[in-house]
Amino acid sequence: MDLGLVVSTLGRVESLKRLFDSLSDQLLAGDTLVVVAQRNLPEVEALASVYRSESRRIIVTTSPPGAARGRNAGVAALPADRDLLLNFPNDTTWYPSGALQRMRLLPEDFRAGALTVVDENGPKFVLPEPGAALTRWTVWSVIEMGILIRRSVFDRIGGFDPEIGTGAPTPWQAGEATDLLLKLIRAGEHPGFAWQPPALTVGGISDPSGLSSAERRHKLRGYGRGLGRLVTRWRYPLWWRFAFLGGGLFFGLRNRGTNALLDGWWVFLGRLEGMLGRTLGPAGALTAVTR
């Protein structure tokens, strides 16, 4: 099975170098890596040229801002005549040795599934056991770099919604992976969704890594708005919405290793804004990440 890896980046060359290093001895001639540089295009192209070879196909392109827009543009840049298996690393993602080979060994009839994403604190989410169904409840266990999906399936369900997610031109700054999987269920493409065993992972960094307290809380609020909007758009039960909203207050308590206790207020506020469909008071820059 040949792979199509699509990364959307703000042009963070140092982060991309780690990603490229991790792939340098794993990409095969049938694979394609697409880098969508929404800033610093010449610098990203220069870096890619160092790693590009006959056995490492690397395409650099660009798109309007927004990670979801970038990923859609990256998929569109892949060879149109091949049904590649897609994965969506961030520019801070890296692949452990042997990860791509494990992906290649998936069965030919594989359509969609998820793998574990780890950072310096361990797994970001614990996935359901292999064989469990993909449901509107289990979709919350998957983030973008953990998605595995065939190109044909991705195209049939319409790709990522460009109006939500990190960097989108709206206040709804998260939820594009969850939304994609909910569309997968709506389209009836989810039977056989394959949760991969914990041994198959990709690496990343924790969400607040490198951010000041103000930047971290701004990001949490923006992410909260996106997820709050999602539970309304997909008509989750009212009792679940209220539990989801109230649970935001305990975010800092549940994530004391990476967040402060009072960070939960910003998660709660963001989720409330998302459910209401508007921002409250001065929100500042709407994009969750600006650098």
Side-chain angles (χ1 to χ4, degrees):
M1 187 174 304
D2 294 330
L3 307 176
L5 309 179
V6 177
V7 53
S8 182
T9 177
L10 292 176
R12 294 181 285 207
V13 173
E14 286 303 314
S15 298
L16 283 170
K17 187 177 186 303
R18 183 185 188 189
L19 171 63
F20 287 178
D21 283 341
S22 74
L23 290 171
S24 61
D25 61 352
Q26 297 196 61
L27 286 175
L28 299 182
D31 304 327
T32 303
L33 170 63
V34 180
V35 182
V36 185
Q38 296 172 334
R39 293 182 192 165
N40 302 333
L41 180 60
E43 291 87 345
V44 174
E45 177 57 54
L47 178 67
S49 67
V50 174
Y51 291 84
R52 190 182 286 122
S53 70
E54 289 185 5
S55 61
R56 288 196 294 268
R57 180 181 174 89
I58 302 176
I59 298 172
V60 177
T61 185
T62 189
S63 79
R69 289 182 174 184
R71 294 183 184 109
N72 288 344
V75 173
L78 289 167
D81 59 343
R82 299 171 59 216
D83 195 14
L84 298 173
L85 177 64
L86 306 179
N87 183 233
F88 301 96
N90 284 342
D91 56 10
T92 52
T93 300
W94 53 275
Y95 288 85
S97 178
L100 267 59
Q101 180 60 18
R102 288 176 181 268
M103 295 180 197
R104 285 194 195 90
L105 295 177
L106 292 170
E108 277 299 314
D109 61 354
F110 181 94
R111 293 193 298 174
L115 51 78
T116 299
V117 181
V118 299
D119 61 24
E120 63 271 27
N121 302 300
K124 286 180 176 284
F125 293 94
V126 177
L127 300 184
E129 291 294 321
L134 179 71
T135 69
R136 65 192 314 220
W137 314 111
T138 58
V139 293
W140 299 93
S141 300
V142 187
I143 54 179
E144 291 72 28
M145 61 284 270
I147 293 174
L148 295 168
I149 188 168
R150 295 298 284 257
R151 164 75 178 277
S152 57
V153 178
F154 182 86
D155 288 342
R156 280 198 297 272
I157 64 175
F160 290 105
D161 183 344
E163 298 302 309
I164 62 174
T166 304
T170 70
W172 327 123
Q173 293 289 297
E176 61 268 47
T178 308
D179 181 75
L180 184 80
L181 296 183
L182 288 166
K183 290 194 295 186
L184 188 79
I185 295 172
R186 183 177 63 190
E189 298 272 6
H190 62 296
F193 188 89
W195 303 99
Q196 298 304 302
L200 178 54
T201 66
V202 296
I205 62 173
S206 60
D207 285 341
S209 180
L211 301 179
S212 67
S213 293
E215 289 172 328
R216 183 182 70 246
R217 290 170 175 174
H218 177 79
K219 183 176 183 179
L220 289 172
R221 182 178 178 183
Y223 278 16
R225 283 197 303 263
L227 298 179
R229 186 65 173 166
L230 209 60
V231 300
T232 303
R233 168 193 283 189
W234 286 95
R235 299 183 180 277
Y236 277 80
L238 286 176
W239 66 265
W240 196 90
R241 297 186 210 182
F242 284 118
F244 181 73
L245 176 63
L249 290 171
F250 299 96
F251 180 87
L253 184 63
R254 296 193 308 268
N255 297 273
R256 289 299 298 272
T258 55
N259 292 87
L261 182 62
L262 294 181
D263 285 353
W265 161 251
W266 300 99
V267 176
F268 172 86
L269 177 60
R271 291 181 182 181
L272 177 62
E273 290 175 317
M275 291 179 181
L276 294 175
R278 63 186 182 91
T279 58
L280 300 173
L286 293 180
T287 53
V289 178
T290 57
R291 63 180 175 90

